[in-house]
Amino acid sequence: MRDKGEFLFTSESVSEGHPDKVADRISDTVLDAFLAADPYARVACETLVTTNRIVLAGETRGPESVTADYLAHLARLAVHDIGYDQEGFSWRHARVECHLHAQSSDIAQGVDSAGNKDEGAGDQGIMFGYACTETAALMPAPIYYAHLVLRRINELRRVRDVSVAGLLPDAKSQITLRYVDGKPVGASSFVVSIQHEEAIEQGAIREMLRPIVESSLPEGWMCPEAEFYVNPTGKFVIGGPDGDCGLTGRKIIVDTYGGAAPHGGGAFSGKDPTKVDRSAAYACRYLAKNVVAAGLAERCTLQISYAIGVTHPLSVYVDLHGTGHDVDEKRLERALRDVMDLSPRGIREHLHLNRPIYAPTAAYGHFGREPDADLGTFTWERTDLAPALRSALGR
């Protein structure tokens, strides 16, 4: 994203009832079930959801107590929690197929520790982290507000608030913000598409959603009325997996920074923390956020790369986008390696990732969320490393 001049930038979000997010939620529910039984279980679970059908596939290594029948039961409970009990997709009647099988021994031998060898990365890959001062959560404003609107709609729907009566789980949002000299100043357009009961008029849905959108944005940021689009196709009754097939991992830009920062390409949901696609992306966000929280820069992009079976990262790269406060980026790269062990084991232990904490991450973004000390969730959103970073740089 540019840091000068005037421009428009757009990000989108999808609700927990979007087909791809239903798939993500089920995959992370499977992961949590294995980690609850064994913190060191290995899971790579993909889910497909379509009209009254749920298909689980992938590789696992864990206790026999986590059976296919138990996972089918948990999948139904996840669908029930999201709110699907419709003719075309119901937690009661959907057929659940489980095709999970044992993890490849070739992959396992590269990842497992043995003798003097520590754990290796579960795959090769590049992972990115990003933080900026556009919001209090140190997230880019477009994705932050796109998520926030859908979360608030969903919170009201879950408690059956009369203000959103008749709205259903599947929804998408899209916000275009106007930037001046690299800073967001207001929305030029906002789009919401939301599944609804047949009897509700589109005008009524618009009136339901306008105050939620306006109150979610900073004062004076609401877009012009002509640029506020609600269900632009005119009707959205058939939705969820009945209207569109959903797959795990298809919303990776929604999951991260809304396109405002790079993404390494790997999906998160359904993967245990030996998979650096997930754990190292969390570590990158954690480090980038702490750089900004420490007052070292206004923006920070961090890249780390790994090779399968290799313990330590092959590279660490930092870009402060010209916003660093008298900080040398090469020195900062060394400091980041010093303040955190970036091996797969080091990341897991530092961020306490070997726990059943992943189902809450499956919708509304993995980043920019509030850490919950009681539940142990979103530990990578803490800013507890900021003092160590300042000290390492002599601040």
Side-chain angles (χ1 to χ4, degrees):
M1 189 188 298
R2 298 197 298 267
D3 57 4
K4 294 186 183 298
E6 184 171 338
F7 59 91
L8 301 178
F9 192 86
T10 303
S11 293
E12 70 161 350
S13 179
V14 296
S15 73
E16 64 189 68
H18 184 281
D20 295 331
K21 285 289 140 194
V22 175
D24 284 345
R25 169 67 179 276
I26 294 171
S27 289
D28 275 333
T29 297
V30 169
L31 171 60
D32 282 349
F34 274 96
L35 292 179
D38 176 1
Y40 300 101
R42 300 287 169 78
V43 180
C45 176
E46 310 290 345
T47 302
L48 177 149
V49 289
T50 186
T51 302
N52 272 330
R53 181 163 294 192
I54 300 167
V55 181
L56 309 178
E59 302 78 45
T60 66
R61 189 175 77 193
E64 294 181 358
S65 60
V66 185
T67 64
D69 286 344
Y70 179 54
L71 295 178
H73 170 67
L74 292 181
R76 293 186 189 281
L77 291 182
V79 172
H80 176 268
D81 184 65
I82 292 168
Y84 278 114
D85 193 11
Q86 301 167 12
E87 182 179 352
F89 192 70
S90 169
W91 67 274
R92 304 170 193 270
H93 309 303
R95 177 180 174 186
V96 183
E97 301 175 26
C98 185
H99 301 285
L100 295 165
H101 59 85
Q103 182 189 49
S104 160
S105 58
D106 290 347
I107 292 176
Q109 71 178 355
V111 177
D112 292 346
S113 57
N116 294 325
K117 175 187 174 296
D118 199 357
E119 292 178 15
D123 201 352
Q124 70 175 45
I126 55 174
M127 296 81 205
F128 287 93
Y130 181 73
C132 64
T133 56
E134 291 182 13
T135 62
L138 303 185
M139 284 289 287
I143 189 65
Y144 178 83
Y145 291 113
H147 284 322
L148 182 59
V149 167
L150 291 187
R151 283 172 56 196
R152 289 186 171 175
I153 294 170
N154 181 68
E155 287 165 3
L156 293 170
R157 181 186 62 81
R158 277 179 167 271
V159 299
R160 292 184 168 85
D161 193 290
V162 294
S163 68
V164 295
L167 299 187
L168 299 175
D170 193 359
K172 301 178 75 172
S173 67
Q174 180 175 287
I175 186 172
T176 299
L177 293 184
R178 184 168 66 91
Y179 281 73
V180 176
D181 293 331
K183 298 185 182 302
V185 297
S188 64
S189 68
F190 202 101
V191 185
V192 186
S193 296
I194 189 161
Q195 186 187 14
H196 58 88
E197 293 176 356
E198 181 83 55
I200 304 180
E201 295 290 335
Q202 295 302 312
I205 297 174
R206 185 184 184 91
E207 294 307 309
M208 288 179 185
L209 298 183
R210 183 189 293 104
I212 299 174
V213 173
E214 190 164 9
S215 65
S216 299
L217 299 175
E219 186 175 357
W221 276 34
M222 184 62 179
C223 64
E225 186 65 20
E227 300 299 323
F228 179 47
Y229 302 96
V230 176
N231 287 353
T233 61
K235 185 180 180 181
F236 188 4
V237 174
I238 301 172
D242 186 32
D244 190 11
C245 179
L247 294 170
T248 299
R250 282 207 301 200
K251 288 292 178 285
I252 59 175
I253 301 303
V254 169
D255 284 344
T256 54
Y257 307 103
H263 190 295
F268 298 157
S269 290
K271 295 179 181 178
D272 75 74
T274 67
K275 279 72 171 176
V276 286
D277 273 349
R278 182 170 215 163
S279 56
Y282 288 175
C284 286
R285 162 63 179 173
Y286 175 63
L287 292 175
K289 185 174 185 180
N290 276 271
V291 167
V292 175
L296 302 176
E298 304 298 311
R299 293 169 60 196
C300 177
T301 297
L302 174 67
Q303 184 206 62
I304 300 178
S305 68
Y306 290 87
I308 188 168
V310 177
T311 299
H312 295 288
L314 306 183
S315 64
V316 175
Y317 166 81
V318 172
D319 183 359
L320 301 180
H321 306 275
T323 70
H325 300 309
D326 207 19
V327 177
D328 178 75
E329 287 160 334
K330 296 297 291 183
R331 188 179 175 198
L332 179 57
E333 289 166 1
R334 292 192 294 271
L336 293 172
R337 284 180 179 263
D338 290 341
V339 299
M340 184 176 180
D341 178 357
L342 293 174
S343 68
R345 183 196 297 273
I347 292 171
R348 287 192 296 100
E349 292 180 350
H350 191 108
L351 297 179
H352 309 291
L353 298 180
N354 283 104
R355 295 175 298 164
I357 57 172
Y358 295 101
T361 70
Y364 312 114
H366 293 245
F367 307 136
R369 309 284 290 276
E370 282 293 323
D372 189 317
D374 292 333
L375 298 176
T377 53
F378 301 102
T379 56
W380 49 93
E381 289 297 312
R382 299 175 307 184
T383 55
D384 56 313
L385 210 57
L389 274 174
R390 284 193 291 264
S391 177
L393 294 171
R395 299 299 179 93

